[in-house]
Amino acid sequence: MTIIRSMLGNTVALIASLAFMADAMAQSPPTRLRGSIAAIDGQTVTIAIQYSGLRQLGQFQFVEPYFLDTKWTFALEAYRTEGIYPTFVKKALGGSLTWGYELSGLAPYWAFAEKLEDIRLFGTYVNEYSTVERIPGLRDFLLFNRFRSGTTSSLRFSLQWDKRDNRLFPTSGFFQSLSTE
């Protein structure tokens, strides 16, 4: 737990992250470990809580990079935030669902796909419900629909190429990402 003192008051941040790596250690195929920490290729669960006078955040995230021991990636995230700004308060409740696939898994259908070992394609669906409330008593410019609440829904696609030797502390390689939403 971290407590940060500032002119705006105290901020408390609590972040817990768990990595499950029993599978990676038991089988330890060299292609899964590739010189990196075993937990990177295993499931991760992250819970984050941040509380201050201006912002509250709660987040849960689960990532399974090799869903059911396949080339599929699965991720689930849920969050709730509240931010206090000079003229309004915004509250949001949302989440996302991500599926990804390592393109080398297409090798049985296309021979060239075998060379795509470090390239993954992801699709993410995000849904968020936000409420925006004006702070009473403050003089503000009137803009049409400025304080309108509602749902935002989006679909994002990304292509990632990761040739790093170690995802936490890389010494060589590169990471490139192309996405559209």
Side-chain angles (χ1 to χ4, degrees):
M1 181 177 340
T2 305
I3 299 177
I4 302 167
R5 299 190 196 299
S6 70
M7 294 186 326
L8 302 173
N10 291 341
T11 298
V12 178
L14 173 64
I15 299 174
S17 182
L18 302 171
F20 303 98
M21 59 181 174
D23 236 15
M25 294 306 282
Q27 298 171 3
S28 65
T31 56
R32 288 267 310 257
L33 297 177
R34 281 196 290 260
S36 61
I37 297 174
I40 293 172
D41 285 343
Q43 299 170 344
T44 56
V45 175
T46 303
I47 299 170
I49 299 170
Q50 183 180 23
Y51 184 83
S52 73
L54 296 177
R55 179 179 172 166
Q56 291 83 43
L57 165 72
Q59 178 186 21
F60 169 82
Q61 184 180 43
F62 172 77
V63 179
E64 169 56 271
Y66 296 97
F67 185 71
L68 299 176
D69 288 330
T70 65
K71 303 264 184 195
W72 286 96
T73 297
F74 172 76
L76 178 69
E77 178 185 21
Y79 59 88
R80 184 189 178 287
T81 64
E82 180 175 331
I84 302 173
Y85 299 92
T87 57
F88 64 94
V89 175
K90 180 182 177 188
K91 298 177 185 177
L93 177 66
S96 67
L97 179 66
T98 301
W99 284 99
Y101 193 73
E102 186 176 308
L103 297 182
S104 67
L106 300 174
Y109 309 107
W110 295 295
F112 73 90
E114 191 172 285
K115 298 177 183 178
L116 304 177
E117 178 183 23
D118 299 312
I119 299 177
R120 289 181 173 260
L121 179 66
F122 292 94
T124 302
Y125 175 71
V126 180
N127 192 308
E128 176 181 286
Y129 178 74
S130 299
T131 59
V132 181
E133 301 168 355
R134 185 172 169 228
I135 295 178
L138 291 179
R139 188 168 185 198
D140 194 17
F141 296 106
L142 294 178
L143 296 175
F144 183 69
N145 285 336
R146 183 171 182 189
F147 299 111
R148 191 170 184 182
S149 300
T151 300
T152 303
S153 185
S154 69
L155 189 58
R156 177 176 55 243
F157 294 100
S158 63
L159 188 64
Q160 296 180 353
W161 188 9
D162 190 354
K163 293 290 282 182
R164 296 174 292 179
D165 61 343
N166 183 313
R167 293 181 185 171
L168 284 181
F169 308 106
T171 57
S172 66
F174 58 86
F175 176 81
Q176 296 179 355
S177 180
L178 175 68
S179 64
T180 184
E181 186 166 359

